[in-house]
Amino acid sequence: MCAPGPEIRGTRVELLTAPDCPNAEAARSLVAECLAESGLDAAVVERVGSYRSPTILVDGVDVMGTPGPVAADACRLDVPTRERVLAALAAVKA
């Protein structure tokens, strides 16, 4: 059984990256910019591991519409976009 993580209230935003992902910094900046623009006050949890990288989840849902995090040490071909991140954040606010 895993130990419980910190309790997260409100909107949960996660950035999943593979080790040494060349797109991690751009995705980190994208999330910060979109959160600022949306006006949402949400903490971003970053995880590094075996993920299609980078993946941005808003309340557990991949902003690019891919079902669930896929375990793989690989770069995504469908890198998260500003439009998709903003749309996911707007849906949470609605």
Side-chain angles (χ1 to χ4, degrees):
M1 177 185 267
C2 294
E7 182 179 348
I8 299 174
R9 292 189 173 152
T11 302
R12 187 178 74 235
V13 179
E14 297 173 82
L15 173 60
L16 311 178
T17 59
D20 302 317
C21 173
N23 297 314
E25 185 55 41
R28 190 175 295 112
S29 295
L30 175 66
V31 168
E33 291 166 8
C34 290
L35 279 171
E37 184 174 329
S38 73
L40 278 176
D41 184 22
V44 178
V45 175
E46 292 193 36
R47 302 182 198 286
V48 177
S50 292
Y51 303 111
R52 290 180 357 132
S53 188
T55 293
I56 298 171
L57 305 176
V58 175
D59 286 343
V61 178
D62 187 331
V63 300
M64 296 306 291
T66 304
V70 178
D73 283 328
C75 290
R76 290 184 76 126
L77 296 178
D78 60 340
V79 176
T81 64
R82 173 182 173 78
E83 292 77 19
R84 291 289 188 106
V85 175
L86 287 172
L89 294 174
V92 168
K93 285 177 72 171

